[in-house]
Amino acid sequence: MSERKVLNKYYPPDFDPSKIPKLKLPKDRQYVVRLMAPFNMRCKTCGEYIYKGKKFNARKETVQTELYMGLPIFRFYIKCTRCLAEITFKTDPENTDYAMEHGATRNFQAEKLIEEEEKKLQREREEEELNNPMKVLENRTKDSKLEMEVLENLQELKELNQRQASVDFEGMLQVHREREERERERQEEEDERETRAMLDRALVKRLHDSDSDSEEESRGPPGSSGKPTDILSQSPAGPGPQLKKPKLESWECSVGKLGGAGGLAGLVRKKQSTAAPMERNPVTQPDRTQTGPGSSPAPQNRVSSLSMLGLYTDSEESE
């Protein structure tokens, strides 16, 4: 079984291509090809517009009676997309274009018409100059005069533009460069000035901090300041003068002024012998004669909590 996509065929050793019979096809045979419309056209039958690039299944044939420098000319047959009318056009190798034959009219060919008109005038002039030498001299004089007028008009336009706008591009570029250079120098100076100011501020701040530290050392420890909260951070055993704790008026109103070392002597006593009689403390042991007949006798050596707090406060003040 042979391969499906094989490109090379097997030719036997005794193959003779001259023995293959040739097909006798007519010279004006038509082929079906796929092409696009080469230009915009309009159908003469129904007025349908056919734009450039529209695809058609066309019939192609070779024109037998026309040649251009040995090149064959081909004719194409297409049908209108609306009325199915036949439209024909052929190649134009002389102008590297296509030429419409019948069935439609070509649109938007004003440029081509102008070119054809110019070519026609040039052809007529050459034929006229060929037969009349005086006409050649006259045409040359007209051409030189027209050329001089065009040059004069061009010179006037140049002078007018120079008077209206005299722009020196080199000077503008030089001014722009100088301006950029000045701007760069100014920016560098500003940066240097700001840097110097920052360094000065940092130095002044450092000197100020060092001066403040030296002043605090000369004044003494931080506990000697007059702030009310400094007493909390002060150690009682620390060196230096100790501040007196302010007395609260609430204790004076509720407890009263309790006097000094006598109360502390009532709280802390020396151990005495059993034979020595116990002395009555007027603060800690109230007299039983002052109590009423119905009250129970108070035990000895009992002190109230408020009295102890007052005594403790007085002891600190005395210290």
Side-chain angles (χ1 to χ4, degrees):
M1 185 176 179
S2 62
E3 293 292 337
R4 183 171 65 88
K5 292 185 177 180
V6 68
L7 300 177
N8 298 325
K9 303 297 183 181
Y10 173 72
Y11 295 97
D14 57 348
F15 175 73
D16 188 6
S18 62
K19 295 180 180 180
I20 299 174
K22 295 181 180 180
L23 296 176
K24 294 182 179 180
L25 299 176
K27 293 183 179 181
D28 56 350
R29 182 190 173 190
Q30 294 182 353
Y31 301 92
V32 178
V33 294
R34 184 77 170 171
L35 58 80
M36 293 186 294
F39 44 76
N40 299 313
M41 64 185 78
R42 183 181 182 185
C43 180
K44 290 182 178 180
T45 306
C46 63
E48 177 71 12
Y49 286 95
I50 300 173
Y51 59 89
K52 181 180 179 180
K54 189 172 181 60
K55 295 181 179 179
F56 291 95
N57 292 323
R59 291 180 290 116
K60 170 189 170 185
E61 69 176 7
T62 304
V63 181
Q64 299 297 323
T65 58
E66 296 183 12
L67 286 174
Y68 176 74
M69 300 178 66
L71 299 176
I73 296 175
F74 302 101
R75 182 181 288 114
F76 300 94
Y77 299 87
I78 63 173
K79 291 185 178 180
C80 177
T81 56
R82 183 177 180 183
C83 64
L84 301 179
E86 191 175 60
I87 301 173
T88 62
F89 56 90
K90 61 182 180 179
T91 58
D92 188 8
E94 182 180 1
N95 300 317
T96 63
D97 199 0
Y98 291 84
M100 175 62 67
E101 282 192 328
H102 76 278
T105 56
R106 186 170 179 174
N107 299 333
F108 310 113
Q109 55 179 355
E111 185 178 357
K112 184 179 180 181
L113 294 176
I114 293 173
E115 291 178 356
E116 291 179 355
E117 188 68 22
E118 289 179 355
K119 288 181 180 179
K120 183 180 178 181
L121 294 175
Q122 185 69 19
R123 197 180 301 113
E124 291 178 356
R125 179 179 176 179
E126 289 176 358
E127 292 177 357
E128 189 177 4
E129 289 178 354
L130 185 61
N131 299 325
N132 191 357
M134 294 299 295
K135 194 69 175 178
V136 175
L137 183 60
E138 185 179 352
N139 292 337
R140 288 180 181 177
T141 306
K142 288 181 180 179
D143 293 342
S144 61
K145 185 178 179 180
L146 181 62
E147 185 177 359
M148 291 296 293
E149 290 179 357
V150 170
L151 291 175
E152 289 177 0
N153 294 334
L154 183 61
Q155 187 66 25
E156 289 179 0
L157 290 175
K158 287 182 179 180
E159 292 177 358
L160 181 62
N161 292 335
Q162 290 179 357
R163 287 197 302 270
Q164 290 180 353
S166 57
V167 180
D168 187 8
F169 295 101
E170 295 296 333
M172 291 175 61
L173 293 175
Q174 184 66 25
V175 170
H176 183 66
R177 293 193 197 97
E178 293 176 357
R179 187 180 304 163
E180 287 184 348
E181 188 68 23
R182 289 195 300 271
E183 185 67 21
R184 191 182 303 107
E185 292 177 358
R186 187 183 62 82
Q187 190 69 24
E188 291 178 357
E189 290 177 359
E190 289 182 358
D191 295 343
E192 187 177 358
R193 194 182 304 111
E194 290 180 359
T195 306
R196 193 181 300 109
M198 290 176 63
L199 292 175
D200 294 342
R201 285 197 297 269
L203 181 60
V204 169
K205 184 177 180 182
R206 190 177 302 170
L207 293 175
H208 180 70
D209 293 343
S210 62
D211 294 341
S212 62
D213 293 341
S214 62
E215 288 178 1
E216 289 179 359
E217 290 177 359
S218 62
R219 286 176 194 164
S224 61
S225 61
K227 293 183 180 179
T229 57
D230 291 342
I231 192 63
L232 300 177
S233 61
Q234 180 180 356
S235 175
Q242 296 181 357
L243 294 178
K244 217 178 250 187
K245 187 175 180 181
K247 187 186 295 183
L248 299 177
E249 296 182 0
S250 59
W251 294 114
E252 293 181 0
C253 296
S254 60
V255 179
K257 181 72 173 177
L258 300 176
L264 185 60
L267 289 176
V268 182
R269 294 180 180 180
K270 295 182 179 180
K271 189 175 181 181
Q272 298 179 359
S273 63
T274 55
M278 295 179 64
E279 296 179 358
R280 178 177 298 178
N281 193 355
V283 178
T284 58
Q285 296 181 1
D287 193 2
R288 291 185 181 181
T289 58
Q290 295 178 1
T291 60
S295 62
S296 61
Q300 292 182 356
N301 301 331
R302 177 174 296 181
V303 183
S304 64
S305 61
L306 295 177
S307 301
M308 292 176 65
L309 185 59
L311 292 174
Y312 180 72
T313 306
D314 292 338
S315 65
E316 288 184 355
E317 289 179 358
S318 63
E319 290 176 0

